[in-house]
Amino acid sequence: MKAMIGYCGLDCAQCDAYLATIHDDQALREKTAKAWAEANQAPILPEHINCEGCRVDGVKTVYCEHLCEVRQCARKRGAATCGDCPDLEQCQMVGEIFAQNPDARDHLRG
């Protein structure tokens, strides 16, 4: 499995926070911060948009590092990804992600 597939199966390499970080793209940081702040009704600033992927060493967004329940659960269980979890098909947390992004399930099975 690619290192840039997140615990939940989302492709971190397609995330705007990751792209802004690896390309040091301030305009993308600003655009992403604005979109995420509106979508989450939270004070997200451009300086918060720095992430190198949720399963690799390096900087992460505040959400990915501290708030993502899927990431916390997988790490607590010692799973490389949710694809390694025997409860995957019954999991409501990751199920919400699959409902929005069906490719995430395929990434975990891939």
Side-chain angles (χ1 to χ4, degrees):
M1 176 179 302
K2 291 183 357 183
M4 294 311 299
I5 297 300
Y7 290 99
C8 65
L10 292 176
D11 188 348
C12 293
Q14 301 300 312
C15 175
D16 286 340
Y18 173 78
L19 294 170
T21 302
I22 64 165
H23 297 295
D24 195 19
D25 185 336
Q26 188 62 23
L28 182 55
R29 273 190 192 95
E30 292 170 6
K31 176 183 169 189
T32 302
K34 182 178 180 188
W36 289 8
E38 290 172 4
N40 295 290
Q41 297 179 353
I44 300 172
L45 303 173
E47 54 267 26
H48 299 150
I49 307 300
N50 290 292
C51 193
E52 294 175 359
C54 76
R55 291 193 313 125
V56 299
D57 291 336
V59 66
K60 291 162 191 28
T61 65
V62 171
Y63 177 81
C64 294
E65 181 76 30
H66 301 289
L67 302 174
C68 178
E69 292 178 354
V70 171
R71 182 176 186 271
Q72 291 173 9
C73 178
R75 290 173 56 94
K76 180 179 172 184
R77 291 176 176 235
T81 70
C82 293
D84 296 332
C85 181
D87 299 326
L88 174 68
E89 296 304 324
Q90 297 86 357
C91 180
Q92 291 181 357
M93 285 187 299
V94 79
E96 291 176 18
I97 292 169
F98 294 163
Q100 298 296 316
N101 190 329
D103 290 341
R105 183 187 310 261
D106 295 337
H107 293 153
L108 293 176
R109 291 183 177 157

